[in-house]
């Protein structure tokens, strides 16, 4: 017999951490509410019969934003065999509010009392046995982060699912509410008794989704009952229900939880918040954090010390040297076995193409590691709050900050993260500008130009400059789109601030490993495939093998390039680069590596000696055109994977096309301005 | 008086939520109930940081003016 067990709980209570521990998956864990926005399935490592399902977090079974609907629908409609309700023991009252509602559904439930390490370090204690007696379900203390208590948890979960063990019926409402519940239950026809009771309670709470699913005459009766109850409860039945739930919880917690501090305790997090969200210090601190993030990734004068390479640049140098040696070996090996000229050409071309990308991997890796450190620390929610006031000036709420910051890593998860924005207009605008946050895959483009075209100047400033252009365009776009797109004004900001946590070495290493693995797969498939295609197209025409200038690719590129005359880079190779960039942005440097010849060896030297890496580029681009080219690739349509994410999240082709159209036009206009403006200076 | 007017360090009792239905529901789910004790622990140009039911919650000033406390 196999079972499906769903993980349900408040946002940020540790569901995904538990899911990863149970299934060996590596789903995204972060220390802010709303990390998981979709359901994910996996088999329990130690018993493949048990299927575990990770859900987005939710504060109650009355959904507020899009990802909460997913959680509720799964629990009440698809009905797992059992629910593991994860409770953050450190804020137990608030978490039990969802628990009470889960128990009301009558679904077999186990409570996992998580974060017991934090509970203990505060000196509090939770009597799980007593809670278990009160609720009629097993309550198992766990520390998901270190895997403590999980065997016990899964043992009882297996039993509960097998025996379909229902929780106690908890009757916590006053007489008049109970009567109204019974009245509604009487004329609901569908579902078991538990279902009907749950539905009735939700209707009294004013649940629109359920109300709309009723027959018109049923809906009318419900409304009458609700009105009657409203008048009995000082005009607000919903508030009375919430209130009575909380009263029950406070009473329960009083019986089962011993707190070291009465009232509101001052914790380490509160003290840190005084600094991190301080009205004077908050923004300088944020600027410093951002500087460190990017400088550690790509600065050649890290911490403003001349000649000190950042960890990213230092690692990149090593990888490039290694790749250069590997290319030499391949060349030697192929020559030794007497490979034909074309095979040698193909192999070296692919080594150049893929190598151009591999050489920049360390930069991207360092960026991702630091981003994941930020995400795990708890700082993201604070910045979202601090930025709220600033974002309001151009029509967004602070919540948009999280997807936008994630955009510096990869647009795809960033676009998905926008699901947590409950205001439709905010969400659309955020998605339209997220790709303007330069993703990790675009970074190599700037590095390539910086080492080639601007070798004498301050390369770090060039790359920072491009990031700034992206930010500026994003801000102006938000402002402009806010005026054009119809919808409600900016919504209010309310967000739970989690405790600050030091990320575990394990989670940071997992992140790094996932990144390297994902990248290796991408390099071996999409990028390698593209380089083979580029080689074929750039070495053949209808007459067979030919010079690059006469190839298919040159013809295609020459046909496209006229569009870019006003932008200063009317070159077939540059045009091809833009197109391959849509498959994956890493392809741009790969394509340049192939078409402008031998990037890898020379980049190695360039990094160490500050020389030009792809000398051939200078004959095609002027410095102003190089700026325009970088800006165009930063702003134009993102890669297909991101376009797919836009389509999924927008839910319509119309808005997907609008988004792409807006990005294309913006890219063109901005590149045009940059080319002509910078042409005055260079 | 409005929650936005409470000075840092003070604890007050929520008396009314003067917001739209949807937001009200969300606030209740987060623990903002009439009669609940809430303490203001931080403040900056964006809004306030509150302690409520053992959780730290940040909200913008506009919303804080619509929550009445005594
Ligand atoms: N101290 C401690 N921290 C934990 C524990 N379990 C999880 N965490 C941390 O809690 C934070 C949130 O963990 P997640 O697993 O992402 O939480 P989630 O419930 O999936 O969150 P959403 O997807 O946003 O709903 C992370 O910083 C975890 O490292 C625990 O047992 N003890
Ligand atoms: Mg999660």
């Amino acid at each position: 017999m196999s079972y499906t067990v769903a993980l349900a709980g408040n946002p940020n209570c540790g569901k995904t951490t538990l899911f990863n521990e149970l299934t060996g998956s590596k789903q995204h864990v972060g220390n802010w509410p709303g990390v998981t926005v979709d359901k994910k399935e996996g088999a329990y490592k130690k018993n493949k019969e048990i299927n575990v399902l990770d859900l987005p977090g939710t504060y109650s079974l009355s959904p507020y934003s899009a990802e909460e609907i997913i959680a509720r629908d799964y629990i009440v409609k698809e009905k797992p065999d059992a629910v593991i309700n994860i409770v953050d023991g450190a804020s137990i009252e608030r978490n039990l509010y969802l628990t009470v509602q889960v128990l009301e559904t009558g679904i077999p439930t186990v409570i996992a009392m998580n974060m017991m390490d934090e509970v203990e370090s505060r000196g509090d204690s939770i009597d799980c046995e007593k809670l278990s007696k009160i609720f009629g379900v097993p309550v198992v203390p766990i520390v998901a982060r270190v895997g403590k208590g999980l065997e016990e948890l899964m043992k009882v979960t297996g039993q509960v699912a097998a025996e379909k063990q229902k929780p106690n019926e908890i009757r916590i409402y006053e007489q008049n509410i109970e009567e109204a519940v019974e009245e509604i239950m009487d004329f609901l026809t569908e579902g078991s008794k538990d279902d009907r009771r749950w539905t009735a309670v939700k209707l009294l709470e004013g649940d629109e989704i359920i109300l709309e699913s009723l027959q018109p005459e049923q809906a009318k009766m419900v409304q009458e009952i609700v009105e009657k109850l409203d008048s009995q409860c000082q005009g607000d039945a919903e508030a009375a229900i919430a209130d009575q739930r909380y009263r029950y919880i406070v009473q329960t917690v009083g019986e089962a939880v011993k707190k070291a501090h009465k009232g509101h305790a001052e914790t380490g997090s509160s003290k840190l918040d005084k600094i991190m969200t301080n009205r004077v210090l908050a923004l300088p601190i944020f600027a410093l954090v951002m500087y460190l993030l990017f400088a550690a990734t790509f600065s050649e004068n890290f911490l403003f010390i001349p000649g000190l390479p950042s960890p990213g640049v230092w690692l990149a140098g090593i990888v490039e040297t290694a790749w250069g040696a590997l290319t030499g070996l391949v060349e030697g090996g192929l020559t030794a076995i007497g490979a034909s000229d074309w095979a040698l050409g193909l192999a070296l071309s692919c080594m150049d193409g893929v190598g151009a990308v591999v050489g920049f991997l360390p930069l991207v890796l360092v960026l991702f590691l630091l981003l994941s450190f930020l995400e795990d620390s708890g700082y993201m929610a604070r910045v979202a709050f601090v930025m709220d006031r600033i974002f309001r000036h151009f029509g967004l709420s602070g919540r948009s900050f999280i997807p936008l910051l994630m955009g510096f890593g990869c647009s795809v998860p960033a676009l998905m993260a926008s699901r947590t924005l409950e205001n439709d207009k905010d969400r659309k605008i955020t998605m339209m500008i997220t790709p303007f946050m330069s993703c990790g895959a675009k970074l190599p483009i700037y590095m390539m130009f910086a080492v080639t075209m601007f070798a004498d100047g301050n390369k770090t400033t060039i790359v920072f400059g491009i990031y700034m252009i992206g930010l500026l365009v994003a801000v102006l776009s938000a402002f402009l789109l806010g005026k054009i797109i119809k919808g409600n004004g900016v919504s209010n900001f309310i967000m739970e601030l989690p405790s600050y946590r030091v990320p575990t070495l394990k989670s940071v290493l997992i992140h790094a490993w996932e990144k390297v693995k994902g990248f290796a797969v991408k390099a071996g498939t999409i990028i390698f495939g593209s380089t083979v295609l580029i080689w074929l197209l750039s070495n053949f025409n209808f007459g067979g093998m030919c010079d690059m200038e006469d190839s298919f690719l040159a013809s295609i590129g020459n046909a496209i390039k006229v569009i870019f005359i006003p932008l200063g880079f009317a070159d077939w190779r540059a045009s091809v680069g833009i197109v391959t960039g849509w498959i994956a942005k890493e392809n741009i440097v790969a394509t340049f590596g192939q078409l402008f010849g031998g990037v890898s060896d020379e980049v190695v030297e360039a990094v160490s000696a500050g020389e030009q890496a792809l000398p051939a580029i200078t004959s095609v681009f002027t410095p102003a055109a190089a700026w325009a080219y970088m800006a165009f690739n930063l702003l134009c349509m993102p890669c297909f994977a991101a376009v797919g994410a836009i389509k999924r999240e927008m839910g319509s082709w119309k808005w997907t096309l609008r988004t792409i159209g807006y990005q294309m036009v913006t890219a063109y206009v901005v590149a045009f301005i940059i080319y002509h403006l910078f042409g005055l200076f260079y | 008086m409005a929650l936005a007017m409470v000075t840092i360090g003070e604890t007050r009792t929520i008396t009314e939520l003067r917001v739209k239905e949807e937001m009200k529901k969300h606030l209740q789910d987060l623990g903002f109930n009439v009669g609940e004790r809430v303490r203001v622990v931080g403040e900056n140009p964006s809004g306030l940081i509150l302690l409520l039911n053992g959780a730290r919650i940040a909200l913008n000033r506009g919303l804080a003016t619509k929550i009445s406390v005594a």
Side-chain angles (χ1 to χ4, degrees), chain A residues 53 55 288 321 362 402 473 559 621 637:
Chain A
L53 202 104
L55 291 173
L288 183 70
T321 312
I402 288 176
V473 172
F621 290 89
M637 179 171 87

Side-chain angles (χ1 to χ4, degrees), chain B:
Chain B
M1 83 176 167
L3 181 57
M5 314 280 284
V6 179
T7 41
I8 298 188
E10 280 184 41
T11 306
R12 296 297 174 107
T13 307
I14 299 172
T15 54
E16 200 189 350
L17 306 174
R18 291 174 287 111
V19 291
K20 288 211 196 87
E21 202 50 41
E22 228 178 320
M23 181 47 103
K24 191 162 166 185
K25 181 97 211 134
H26 188 54
L27 285 173
Q28 280 163 356
D29 292 344
L30 282 164
F32 288 82
N33 282 295
V34 172
E36 197 66 55
R37 305 279 283 165
V38 34
R39 171 164 172 175
V40 179
V41 291
E43 186 206 19
N44 72 20
S46 284
L48 309 179
I49 301 177
L50 312 172
L51 267 184
L52 178 71
N53 272 332
R56 236 182 327 274
I57 293 175
L59 78 178
N60 66 322
R61 205 165 287 279
L63 188 55
T65 54
K66 293 182 194 139
I67 298 173
S68 306
V69 294

Side-chain angles (χ1 to χ4, degrees), chain A residues 10 59-61 85 87 92-107 109 111 134-135 137 167-173 197-198 201-202 205 241-242 244-250 252-253:
Chain A
N10 279 185
Y59 288 110
S60 89
L61 290 181
N85 173 213
V87 168
I92 187 165
E93 290 96 341
R94 224 268 324 289
N95 278 254
L96 287 180
Y97 188 71
L98 176 69
T99 305
V100 170
Q101 296 178 60
V102 171
L103 298 177
E104 278 177 346
T105 64
I107 293 176
T109 300
I111 294 174
I134 297 173
F135 295 137
V137 300
N168 286 350
E169 285 188 14
I170 39 179
R171 292 288 175 264
I172 55 180
Y173 305 118
R197 183 177 161 86
W198 181 82
V201 174
K202 279 291 148 203
E205 285 183 82
I241 292 176
Q244 285 165 32
R245 277 193 195 129
Y246 271 110
R247 244 187 270 166
Y248 171 74
I249 290 165
V250 168
T252 311
V253 169

Side-chain angles (χ1 to χ4, degrees), chain A residues 15-16 28 35-36 54-55:
Chain A
K15 297 175 295 299
T16 306
H28 192 176
V35 179
T36 308
D54 187 24
L55 291 173

Side-chain angles (χ1 to χ4, degrees), chain A residues 490-608:
Chain A
V490 185
S491 52
N492 280 309
F493 178 91
I494 181 156
M495 189 186 269
E496 187 177 354
L497 304 180
S499 302
Y500 288 98
R501 296 196 173 98
V502 182
T504 57
L505 185 64
K506 186 176 156 197
S507 79
V508 171
L509 288 181
I510 284 180
H511 259 106
W513 171 240
E514 280 297 290
K515 223 47 238 172
V516 173
K517 203 174 76 183
F519 181 82
V521 170
K522 201 171 178 186
T525 53
I526 298 179
I527 298 172
F528 176 72
S530 303
T531 56
V532 172
L533 190 70
I534 290 290
W535 180 80
L536 281 175
L537 289 174
S538 64
N539 278 287
F540 288 86
N541 63 19
F542 286 115
M545 223 168 158
C546 65
D547 267 1
M548 212 179 252
E549 294 298 326
D550 303 320
S551 64
F552 286 127
L553 200 63
S555 316
I556 300 170
N558 279 319
I560 309 175
K561 76 176 186 191
V562 287
I563 311 171
F564 301 117
I565 293 172
L567 308 188
F569 46 85
D571 175 69
W572 70 268
R573 287 162 292 194
S575 312
V576 167
I578 291 173
V579 175
T580 57
W582 290 331
I583 300 169
K585 293 285 169 181
E586 292 95 338
N587 269 341
I588 296 177
V589 285
T591 302
F592 270 60
Q594 287 182 289
L595 300 185
F596 287 98
V599 68
S600 34
D601 302 351
E602 286 152 290
V603 166
V604 179
E605 287 162 27
V607 169
S608 50

Side-chain angles (χ1 to χ4, degrees), chain A residues 358-379:
Chain A
V358 168
F360 291 114
L361 171 65
L363 299 184
V364 181
L365 183 67
V366 169
L367 178 67
F368 271 94
L369 276 181
L370 293 175
L371 274 177
S372 91
F373 190 89
L374 264 190
E375 291 178 358
D376 278 352
S377 67
Y379 184 54

